[in-house]
Amino acid sequence: MTQTEKTSFKKPQATKPVCNRIAIVFDFDDTLAPDTFDELIKRLGLDINEFRQQHYEPLKDAGWDHVAARFYCLIQESKQRKKKITKDDLIQFGQELQPFQGVREMFDRLQQRVQDLNPQVELEFYIITGGFAEVVRNTCIASYFKKIWGCEFHYAKNGEIEFLKRSISHTEKTRYLMHIASGAEQVDGDGRSFAYRDASEDQLHVPLSQMIYVGDGASDVPCFSVLNDEGGIVIGVYKGDTAAKWDQHIEVTESQRVTNLASADYQAESELMRSLTLAVESLCKQISLRQLSAGE
């Protein structure tokens, strides 16, 4: 953490420390844009359901982790094709992938709302996805994010996808939440998590209580649980199906429940955009109250 970032905290003796920062953390697939695995399969000219049934589902049934199964399927498909799947293909795919309605405008809308309420507050955006980081980094919205973490391929000398280099599982997503909280430049490569509860609040880049997490499904449930435990805000999104069907498909315990569940529509008057705006307003006002107590 830089000295400048550390000075965003002020700690009077009788009141809680003030952090003038909010983080919104997004999943990507089916949260901000269509599922990149399915879209890539379509791009290769293959039938999604057939490919899943013949290649992906047998691996899942055999006990494979879903991320490893996805990457293995694509690597095997590339080996069998005359025209290989390459890094350049993933880059071009990302450049052409269109986010859901309203996503492009969402970032500036939320930033403007924060500035209207409290110009001292910084709003940061992050992505933690079990999908393809290479694809996400090349989308039209990539520049809005401070950090993007996702699964990574190792590429052969000719650029062909060759191995799975980095995998982000459901539970491992929580490690990246801790990384955001710490403000460290790099995620520890040996798998250790930042000891959040051992750190005083004035040592944090942004406390978990000032994070908003937005995700669409089972891969996000561990993050739902962590933020609920620490006083953050959790918003679930669904695409196509009704909220009732999402609730049936995604089994959550009491500690994993979301603050609100809305369709993946980010247009100005949508329920999801109103939910995000209210969440940001709530955190801004909490920060303003702390600033008042601290005499800022």
Side-chain angles (χ1 to χ4, degrees), residues 9 16 32 137 152 157 195-196 206 213 229 245 264 275:
F9 284 90
K16 293 181 178 180
L32 292 173
R137 283 196 295 263
E152 304 269 8
K157 289 183 178 179
Y196 180 81
V206 54
Y213 187 89
D229 286 347
K245 288 184 179 179
S275 298

Side-chain angles (χ1 to χ4, degrees), residues 125-184:
F125 301 102
Y126 297 85
I127 282 181
I128 307 172
T129 176
F132 311 114
E134 197 74 67
V135 172
V136 181
R137 283 196 295 263
N138 287 281
T139 60
C140 61
I141 58 174
S143 62
Y144 289 103
F145 296 97
K146 182 168 183 179
K147 292 282 186 180
I148 295 171
W149 294 288
C151 301
E152 304 269 8
F153 282 108
H154 168 76
Y155 302 98
K157 289 183 178 179
N158 64 353
E160 181 184 0
I161 59 174
E162 194 170 47
F163 302 112
L164 172 60
K165 182 171 74 172
R166 180 190 297 274
S167 174
I168 298 181
S169 65
H170 296 4
T171 54
E172 196 172 30
K173 281 188 171 186
T174 61
R175 185 161 70 97
Y176 290 85
L177 286 183
M178 301 304 173
H179 179 70
I180 294 169
S182 75

Side-chain angles (χ1 to χ4, degrees), residues 224-244:
F224 293 171
S225 182
V226 167
L227 283 196
N228 279 335
D229 286 347
E230 297 295 337
I233 297 174
V234 175
I235 298 174
V237 301
Y238 60 89
K239 182 177 72 74
D241 292 335
T242 64

Side-chain angles (χ1 to χ4, degrees), residues 42 59 73 111 120 172 236 264 272 293:
K42 284 197 293 186
L59 295 177
C73 287
Q111 290 283 12
Q120 292 180 298
E172 196 172 30
L272 180 53
S293 299

Side-chain angles (χ1 to χ4, degrees), residues 212-216 224 233-237 258-262 272 275-277 279:
I212 302 164
Y213 187 89
V214 186
D216 73 291
F224 293 171
I233 297 174
V234 175
I235 298 174
V237 301
V258 297
T259 306
N260 195 23
L261 178 61
L272 180 53
S275 298
L276 284 166
T277 302

